[in-house]
Amino acid sequence: MSHAWDRASDRLDLLHRAFPVLGRGELPARVLAVSADLPVEVFQDVPATGAHPSGLIRTGPDAFGPHRPTEPPDPPWDEATRDLAARVGEDVLATLATAGRALGRPPAGFDHRATTTTGLPPVRFADRERARDWVRANLGLLPAVVRACANARSRALAVAVAAHSWTCAPGDAPPAWAHDLSEAGADAAIADRAPRSFTGLMRLGAQWFADRGDIATAERLGVREWAAWERLADTDGMIDVLWHRAGVYAAAGHEDRELDCYVRLRSLYEAGGDHLGVVRTTAATGTAFARLGSDQDALEHLSQAAQEFAALPGTTPVEQATVLITLGRVHWTSGDHYAARRRFHAAHRLLADADRAGPAGRAPVEALADQVRRLLDTEAGRSLPDG
């Protein structure tokens, strides 16, 4: 296909500019095709050895590099280079979005309207496994694309690529890769002066690290998110991140840090006059004490929450029943089976009334009702079944 390269000679500069723009010594065929506005097919005859009209050499099944690699100079960030980075970024973003839908993990709030066209058919995945394979094969490319788009002043695009990369990233991706993506995305959001995009990226990164058991990094990113909301004086954002951090600590068994989050939440709710928020924090605090085995503290907080929930508008039967069930479990483990059954029966009545009220939210109601029935069937002196 050398004749194709003869016709594409004016594209060779863009083709070779892609390597320094992305800061990588090898790139897949589609990225090169998008960079130079070429059909993907022209790369089929690039050999693994020897000269080729493209000046490329094949370094893998779908990887190509310069035939005579040298330390690439910094690319001129002119209009052609910025367009190249934007084309690659939007093509990668479109593929990530397709992969995210296949994997069931598209991020919310990071939409981007494409401004370029490639002339290439979009990438499609037959199933989740194919989508997962593409992400794995292109992991190293993703932070590079984020940085290239940021350098090209397409910073909102860079942020969107980072967000979609987080939601598509496999759980066993190298930690060094995840740290690289985190910093690349944060730098892009800061350069774009988009603090809310920054908080979203910090949340996605914190969740990824928390799911992998790296609580220290998740906490560091959570603190950065909190600081951004605090600078914005956005109480709702601060409350949201504290609930998220509390959930991370609870899942990791760090109830001491979880309780610290509830102290701060209570302060924010009280400052805003949000009594329902205060009561919800009280309930969460009691649940944390229950997991810690601090029965007296748990009984105190959960009893107060159960009493106030019953008198407050805005609560749901599921929310009230959940507190009653947890309170009953604490009574049971402390030996007061009568008080425990009283709480379980109260929860059962709430759920029965909710079930008769209509189909809305019926699934969680039925799941809790089934749990309560199993609790009520437990004989005194026996351990309660798990929830």
Side-chain angles (χ1 to χ4, degrees):
M1 297 182 68
S2 60
H3 59 285
W5 289 107
D6 293 337
R7 294 198 303 271
S9 60
D10 59 332
R11 302 289 182 181
L12 291 181
D13 173 64
L14 288 174
L15 184 71
H16 286 269
R17 196 181 296 195
F19 296 99
V21 165
L22 291 161
R24 295 182 62 79
E26 60 179 33
L27 293 169
R30 186 176 179 96
V31 169
L32 291 169
V34 170
S35 299
D37 196 17
L38 291 168
V40 175
E41 293 74 22
V42 300
F43 298 94
Q44 291 176 356
D45 67 339
V46 174
T49 59
H52 186 265
S54 66
L56 299 177
I57 191 168
R58 184 182 295 272
T59 58
D62 184 33
F64 304 86
H67 182 221
R68 291 185 174 84
T70 58
E71 187 66 30
D74 290 337
W77 286 99
D78 54 16
E79 184 177 356
T81 301
R82 290 195 294 271
D83 287 348
L84 183 159
R87 285 197 304 274
V88 171
E90 290 187 342
D91 189 68
V92 168
L93 177 60
T95 305
L96 280 169
T98 302
R101 288 190 292 271
L103 296 169
R105 300 196 297 263
F110 290 93
D111 298 327
H112 174 80
R113 185 186 296 275
T115 60
T116 66
T117 57
T118 65
L120 299 179
V123 176
R124 304 293 185 199
F125 301 108
D127 51 40
R128 292 167 61 92
E129 195 58 39
R130 299 292 177 86
R132 197 175 289 117
D133 288 345
W134 182 90
V135 175
R136 288 185 184 281
N138 290 278
L139 269 183
L141 176 68
L142 301 179
V145 171
V146 173
R147 286 197 170 90
C149 291
N151 289 335
R153 303 177 194 164
S154 296
R155 293 162 188 142
L157 171 58
V159 168
V161 172
H164 283 263
S165 298
W166 277 126
T167 56
C168 289
D172 57 356
W177 172 86
H179 284 285
D180 189 29
L181 176 65
S182 178
E183 290 308 310
D187 290 346
I190 291 169
D192 198 34
R193 298 183 179 180
R196 284 175 170 78
S197 294
F198 177 86
T199 61
L201 290 180
M202 292 302 99
R203 175 71 60 87
L204 290 170
Q207 190 62 60
W208 189 91
F209 281 106
D211 290 344
R212 277 77 201 164
D214 187 348
I215 302 303
T217 301
E219 181 176 22
R220 180 174 60 81
L221 297 179
V223 168
R224 293 184 75 182
E225 182 187 352
W226 162 270
W229 288 122
E230 193 171 37
R231 284 192 297 272
L232 290 167
D234 189 317
T235 301
D236 289 342
M238 288 187 278
I239 286 172
D240 187 53
V241 68
L242 284 172
W243 278 115
H244 181 262
R245 289 174 64 188
V248 167
Y249 293 140
H254 295 307
E255 281 83 5
D256 54 339
R257 297 179 185 177
E258 179 190 359
L259 288 167
D260 287 342
C261 291
Y262 297 144
V263 171
R264 298 169 85 175
L265 278 165
R266 174 180 287 275
S267 176
L268 288 171
Y269 281 130
E270 287 177 343
D274 186 343
H275 188 52
L276 180 56
V278 171
V279 177
R280 283 174 170 154
T281 304
T282 301
T285 302
T287 301
F289 277 128
R291 288 198 308 274
L292 278 170
S294 301
D295 288 354
Q296 194 56 46
D297 288 323
L299 288 172
E300 178 184 338
H301 285 82
L302 290 168
S303 297
Q304 179 184 347
Q307 182 179 353
E308 296 197 35
F309 267 150
L312 275 175
T315 63
T316 66
V318 167
E319 190 171 35
Q320 295 181 54
T322 299
V323 171
L324 289 168
I325 291 168
T326 306
L327 180 55
R329 285 180 176 276
V330 177
H331 279 305
W332 190 277
T333 58
S334 62
D336 192 345
H337 296 157
Y338 173 78
R341 289 187 182 281
R342 194 157 50 86
R343 301 297 188 179
F344 295 153
H345 278 295
H348 190 268
R349 285 193 298 273
L350 274 171
L351 295 169
D353 290 344
D355 189 53
R356 284 193 291 270
R362 179 164 287 172
V365 168
E366 291 177 349
L368 269 185
D370 182 62
Q371 181 187 156
V372 171
R373 283 190 288 270
R374 288 185 284 112
L375 293 171
L376 288 169
D377 286 343
T378 305
E379 296 179 3
R382 293 185 176 275
S383 297
L384 291 172
D386 293 335

